[in-house]
Amino acid sequence: MIVDILFSDFFGRALAGGVLIGITAPLIGIFLVLRRLSMIGDTLAHVTIAGVALGFLINLYPLAAGLVFAVLASFAIEKLRKAYKSYAELSIAIIMSGGVALASLFFTLGMGYNTDVMSYLFGSIYTLDSTDLMVVGGVTVVVIVVISLFFKEFFLLSFEEDAASVSGLPVRMLNMLLTVLTALVISTAIKIVGALLVSALLTIPVAISLLIARSFKSSVIFAVVISEIAVVIGLVIAGIWNLAPGATIVLLLIAMLILTMVGKRKFSS
Amino acid sequence: MLSLAQEDCHEHIIELENISFSYRDQQVISDLNFAAKERDFVGVIGSNGAGKTTLLRMIVGLLPVENGDIRLFGQSIRKFKDWERIGYVPQKNTFNPLFPATVREVVLSGLYNNKNLFRRVSKSQQRQCDDALEVMRIQEIANKRIGELSGGQQQRAFLARALINHPDLLILDEPTVGIDAETQAGFFELITHMHAHHHMTFLMVSHDMDMIEGYLGKTPKQKNGKIQFYVRHSHEIQNCEEQNLQHSLT
């Protein structure tokens, strides 16, 4: 019975989607965490839900509608961040509440599809179809290519934005690129772990890697490896005991974080 | 005659022309003029709120020049693209001390500029990094996390990053803030040595009068809290001036 589940088509698709998101989420997450923008994940996830709700309302592919909403919201966050330079978190609060307001408005306009939207709120990795998988795959390729091309520039941007400006780097373009990539990753990740848990996948692997890594390069590698371990083991555990996959992955990550913190304390004492 | 001969001998590195800057209707800098030549050591002093940091941010392109003009290497800053000719050492507190970056990664980042976009770090750039680490005598700590280092070691790492490109102009923003007296003296010695032996112009912003006085050999006076410039030419420049003088007399 368990073997049947683990070798089923839907589990295979879930595993493939999970592995892909397991790469992209920490790859983007490390830049967000180091730039103190961890909450941006939650904000874009809430806005994506508004897009998904609109997608259901007007009969459009929900993930595409969510993706467009997330990208537009990322531009709005950048604009607001410039307007309130000393209160950057204000932009996140404004856009997040706007996203929740729009989502609830679309919910009330289309009462019939609430259960579908719920799958995006809490994630439903087992319902990934081949179109979803192609979108996730496309986003993964884009993220890996862009991060590889601009890895050193994103490093300097995160380490010291002023130094990046003084070096003549196109800081505005790089910031925008990173924000758009964040929107792409979040809008595809919500199908896996759900909008309410997506920022966990972006931040917890990075939080663990920051405890053990010495260099920037090793932090990125550790974060991706930790994320993959949590996604694969989490999915298998969820499949065997019939648990919510998104929640299992996130709780596994939290357990790994606690273990690392305890282990580090014991090791250093 | 003499001044013409000097201009032939030494390029203008920084020229400030009628610079004014206001922040929320408050005039921070008003009608500032100044020029520094090749190999000058310029100390920029002024009390808090005099606009030192504002001026520095304008010189490195972080703030737009609204009134007047700044010329770097003879080019208006509005069109300036050769940022790799400038090394910049920021104030100690501008980076996150928990950032997971090694000294080597930080020093190498001095090579990341608009001309190296898309390119991987080459072997020759790695060698450049080794040289910069060696000059600053921090090769033993190259693989340590930058946040784990003492204030003095961090300053050396940032100096190495600024020097990796062999800049023509080195800008230091309050380099001794938050560093103990002994480390300050070591840092000051290092800067003195670099000025004497490297073909570079220095621009150092500091509120530390003793440091400026110690290096420039004159007592700086602050006029109405406004920005003041104190300049010292290098020994070689003095020789060059003497040559020019002799040349102009013959």
Side-chain angles (χ1 to χ4, degrees):
Chain A
M1 178 71 179
I2 291 165
V3 176
D4 289 345
I5 292 173
L6 296 182
F7 286 95
S8 62
D9 277 354
F10 76 86
F11 192 82
R13 277 198 299 273
L15 201 60
V19 166
L20 294 175
I21 291 296
I23 298 170
T24 55
L27 263 185
I28 291 297
I30 192 145
F31 297 107
L32 298 183
V33 171
L34 293 174
R35 301 178 74 205
R36 316 250 164 124
L37 290 170
S38 301
M39 286 304 290
I40 213 169
D42 260 337
T43 307
L44 292 180
H46 284 82
V47 177
T48 305
I49 286 300
V52 166
L54 181 69
F56 279 115
L57 193 67
I58 59 172
N59 220 4
L60 193 80
Y61 178 53
L63 216 52
L67 206 140
V68 171
F69 264 58
V71 172
L72 290 176
S74 65
F75 285 120
I77 289 171
E78 274 299 305
K79 278 268 170 220
L80 280 170
R81 264 183 61 194
K82 283 203 184 75
Y84 294 98
K85 245 184 173 171
S86 309
Y87 305 97
E89 69 278 8
L90 205 58
S91 63
I92 289 173
I94 293 168
I95 301 294
M96 190 192 283
S97 47
V100 173
L102 265 180
S104 50
L105 197 77
F106 294 141
F107 281 151
T108 50
L109 287 173
M111 295 299 283
Y113 61 74
N114 277 3
T115 48
D116 295 324
V117 176
M118 288 299 270
S119 73
Y120 284 86
L121 270 178
F122 294 100
S124 71
I125 193 168
Y126 295 143
T127 62
L128 274 184
D129 57 30
S130 50
T131 314
D132 294 335
L133 211 52
M134 272 166 62
V135 173
V136 176
V139 167
T140 307
V141 170
V142 170
V143 169
I144 291 175
V145 168
V146 176
I147 296 284
S148 312
L149 280 175
F150 295 104
F151 188 79
K152 58 188 194 336
E153 286 77 16
F154 284 145
F155 162 78
L156 187 53
L157 191 72
S158 310
F159 181 64
E160 228 189 324
E161 193 166 321
D162 280 358
S165 287
V166 176
S167 303
L169 289 178
V171 167
R172 193 180 288 181
M173 185 272 278
L174 290 169
N175 267 327
M176 199 47 88
L177 203 55
L178 210 50
T179 317
V180 171
L181 288 183
T182 308
L184 289 175
V185 169
I186 286 166
S187 53
T188 46
I190 63 164
K191 187 92 187 201
I192 315 285
V193 282
L196 299 177
L197 297 175
V198 73
S199 70
L201 209 54
L202 288 163
T203 55
I204 302 174
V206 177
I208 300 169
S209 86
L210 289 182
L211 289 173
I212 49 180
R214 187 157 286 275
S215 68
F216 183 70
K217 215 176 220 176
S218 61
S219 308
V220 175
I221 295 167
F222 279 136
V224 173
V225 170
I226 290 159
S227 159
E228 288 299 349
I229 291 171
V231 167
V232 174
I233 296 179
L235 278 177
V236 172
I237 291 174
I240 294 171
W241 283 294
N242 197 22
L243 303 169
T248 311
I249 293 168
V250 172
L251 288 174
L252 201 60
L253 278 170
I254 291 173
M256 287 165 82
L257 176 68
I258 293 168
L259 278 175
T260 313
M261 287 170 99
V262 172
K264 199 185 174 194
R265 194 170 293 173
K266 279 205 167 170
F267 185 71
S268 53
S269 64
Chain B
M1 186 71 179
L2 175 62
S3 65
L4 271 176
Q6 276 178 317
E7 274 176 27
D8 287 344
C9 180
H10 298 295
E11 187 191 359
H12 271 117
I13 302 295
I14 306 174
E15 292 163 275
L16 308 179
E17 213 175 77
N18 307 319
I19 295 294
S20 298
F21 190 86
S22 304
Y23 181 70
R24 289 186 181 165
D25 299 331
Q26 197 186 341
Q27 191 88 6
V28 183
I29 298 171
S30 132
D31 214 21
L32 195 65
N33 288 282
F34 176 74
K37 285 182 181 176
E38 229 177 316
R39 306 200 65 179
D40 282 352
F41 191 107
V42 182
V44 184
I45 62 154
S47 55
N48 284 339
K52 300 186 301 285
T53 303
T54 303
L55 177 66
L56 194 86
R57 290 179 73 80
M58 282 199 275
I59 291 173
V60 296
L62 292 172
L63 270 179
V65 178
E66 283 157 6
N67 297 301
D69 195 14
I70 293 175
R71 275 195 294 277
L72 299 171
F73 306 98
Q75 240 184 321
S76 169
I77 197 161
R78 294 181 176 94
K79 293 175 186 165
F80 189 72
K81 293 268 189 289
D82 300 326
W83 293 104
E84 73 278 2
R85 294 184 74 180
I86 298 175
Y88 173 57
V89 182
Q91 280 192 30
K92 191 176 157 275
N93 56 4
T94 56
F95 79 99
N96 168 12
L98 298 174
F99 197 99
T102 61
V103 172
R104 174 175 285 278
E105 284 175 323
V106 171
V107 174
L108 263 175
S109 73
L111 292 167
Y112 307 162
N113 53 49
N114 52 342
K115 291 178 183 164
N116 280 326
L117 272 176
F118 304 120
R119 290 192 192 148
R120 290 173 68 92
V121 177
S122 65
K123 277 187 182 162
S124 71
Q125 287 177 324
Q126 291 284 4
R127 278 197 294 276
Q128 258 176 278
C129 179
D130 290 335
D131 292 345
L133 289 165
E134 203 182 319
V135 169
M136 287 297 125
R137 283 170 273 147
I138 49 172
Q139 59 272 55
E140 284 86 19
I141 53 168
N143 294 319
K144 279 202 162 189
R145 253 203 204 197
I146 186 88
E148 291 171 357
L149 307 183
S150 68
Q153 287 173 322
Q154 281 175 4
Q155 275 299 8
R156 279 175 182 266
F158 283 107
L159 255 182
R161 180 178 75 171
L163 294 173
I164 193 171
N165 250 334
H166 306 294
D168 298 309
L169 169 63
L170 185 65
I171 296 175
L172 304 140
D173 187 6
E174 299 277 11
T176 54
V177 166
I179 295 176
D180 63 83
E182 199 183 325
T183 314
Q184 271 186 32
F187 184 76
F188 180 58
E189 225 171 82
L190 186 70
I191 294 285
T192 310
H193 176 84
M194 278 163 56
H195 185 219
H197 297 94
H198 292 76
H199 196 93
M200 252 188 290
T201 303
F202 286 73
L203 181 82
M204 184 170 76
V205 170
S206 181
H207 69 280
D208 189 341
M209 304 285 189
D210 293 339
M211 187 177 176
I212 299 285
E213 190 180 3
Y215 190 68
L216 299 174
K218 37 188 150 182
T219 309
K221 293 170 198 152
Q222 292 204 19
K223 291 178 190 166
N224 311 322
K226 286 186 175 174
I227 290 176
Q228 300 286 302
F229 297 96
Y230 285 85
V231 186
R232 176 176 165 170
H233 299 286
S234 76
H235 180 63
E236 286 79 2
I237 283 178
Q238 285 162 8
N239 283 346
C240 184
E241 280 169 356
E242 283 160 17
Q243 280 169 18
N244 284 329
L245 183 65
Q246 280 171 3
H247 181 73
S248 63
L249 291 173
T250 52

